[in-house]
Amino acid sequence: MNKSSLRIIFMGTPEFAVGTLSALVEGGYNVVAVVTQPDKPVGRHGSVLQPSQVKQYALEHDIPVLQPVKMKDPEFIEQLRSYNADLQVVVAFRMLPEIVWDMPRFGTFNVHAALLPQYRGAAPINWAIINGEKQTGVTTFFLDHDIDTGRIIRQKPFDVPDDANVEYVYDGLMKLGAELAIETVDAIIAGNGHVDSLPQEEMIPVGEKLHDAPKIFKETCEIDWNKTVKQCHDFVRGLSPVPGSWTNITLPDGRETVMKIYKAQKSDRKAEAPGTLHAEKNHLYISASDYQLEILEVQLAGKKRMAARDFVNGLIH
């Protein structure tokens, strides 16, 4: 068995998944079909259908695309089975039923953007940064009945600088995840379908706390100024540039509005009451529980993203 004879079905939707798909295709691996989400309605009236980035890449490379609404749909299951895949590779996709992940003779593995068993869930990159982790990484693991709990095949670590945001870590892990996926596929080929893997329970040190990575909603993104300046800074980084952290502020004319914060830095200025906004020439600060956080890039409701100094100068003048 070699990479051209191993029949692979790839499953994924966003740009993050394209990194791995392109590495497989351009590396000469035999990707026989792609499974991705149905086209998404966009525009004011939802009249335009936007294909996923994975679908766009697949069509550009003449790879058949399957877009099931329901993963247990009998017609989809029959289509999937017709490709007679040896292996399925999943990146940033939805939860699969057993009838799907158990179909290939060599199983289905997932590329997860964290060092499992830490940060199981939908938003591992965000939560690792929010929690101030200095290192995260990528993991390949075999799918089983529960989300992100299967046997771990391989891992690669990734260092997180103190000022890194989601975009920086996302780009790094997309590249690292593609490399790890190729290594995992190569190991499966070398083992003629077998590769060593470990139960996650064996990788949890006694007494270690596991952090979850649940889906992020708008209310998740409100900054709690009662936390330390470091925690607030990590929170801003962990939600920038998308979806963006936010806070309520009061303008000089008394109007209240929502301000998104995309970039900030810790300062050594002693805090006033948590949440207190202080503006002076070219500088904007908001107090956390111990020190003030200097705000560098903002966006007011209905306005464009701007440097905080421009916002301040507009207030002062």
Side-chain angles (χ1 to χ4, degrees), residues 82-264:
S82 72
Y83 285 99
N84 196 29
D86 302 304
L87 178 70
Q88 290 175 159
V89 179
V90 181
V91 184
F93 198 52
R94 55 179 133 168
M95 189 174 181
L96 303 181
E98 182 175 2
I99 192 172
V100 172
W101 58 254
D102 195 43
M103 190 180 294
R105 60 177 179 148
F106 299 148
T108 299
F109 77 79
N110 183 281
V111 180
H112 186 73
L115 296 175
L116 292 172
Q118 292 288 1
Y119 296 103
R120 295 167 174 162
I125 298 176
N126 302 91
W127 286 107
I129 300 173
I130 288 170
N131 289 334
E133 300 287 0
K134 295 185 178 299
Q135 187 179 77
T136 184
V138 287
T139 302
T140 51
F141 69 97
F142 285 116
L143 293 189
D144 64 9
H145 294 92
D146 298 313
I147 296 177
D148 300 335
T149 60
R151 295 175 65 92
I152 289 176
I153 308 167
R154 275 171 167 63
Q155 294 187 314
K156 277 181 178 287
F158 181 84
D159 292 335
V160 182
D162 289 341
D163 60 348
N165 66 4
V166 169
E167 186 173 38
Y168 174 89
V169 179
Y170 179 101
D171 290 344
L173 294 188
M174 181 167 61
K175 179 181 177 182
L176 199 64
E179 293 174 2
L180 189 63
I182 295 298
E183 288 182 16
T184 302
V185 173
D186 286 346
I188 290 170
I189 292 171
N192 199 31
H194 172 77
V195 65
D196 290 337
S197 59
L198 281 175
Q200 291 192 30
E201 291 72 23
E202 294 184 12
M203 302 182 68
I204 305 173
V206 176
E208 180 175 285
K209 178 185 176 183
L210 293 184
H211 296 285
D212 293 325
K215 187 174 180 179
I216 288 174
F217 299 94
K218 180 182 177 182
E219 56 269 24
T220 312
C221 302
E222 183 176 10
I223 302 169
D224 180 359
W225 297 108
N226 291 302
K227 294 189 174 181
T228 67
V229 71
K230 180 185 184 309
Q231 289 173 313
C232 292
H233 181 233
D234 292 340
F235 191 81
V236 170
R237 294 189 301 123
L239 295 168
S240 178
V242 176
S245 59
W246 61 273
T247 190
N248 289 305
I249 65 166
T250 302
L251 297 173
D253 61 6
R255 288 183 297 122
E256 287 195 355
T257 188
V258 171
M259 182 170 72
K260 279 193 173 185
I261 300 175
Y262 291 98
K263 189 175 181 181

Side-chain angles (χ1 to χ4, degrees), residues 295-310:
I295 312 304
L296 301 177
E297 288 185 26
V298 301
Q299 182 178 19
L300 298 185
K303 304 291 185 179
K304 292 183 179 180
R305 182 170 168 177
M306 69 180 80
R309 64 176 178 272
D310 295 332

Side-chain angles (χ1 to χ4, degrees), residues 10 14-24 54 91 174-175 177-179 182:
F10 182 86
E15 178 193 26
F16 190 87
V18 176
T20 298
L21 176 58
S22 63
L24 288 167
V54 161
V91 184
M174 181 167 61
K175 179 181 177 182
E179 293 174 2
I182 295 298

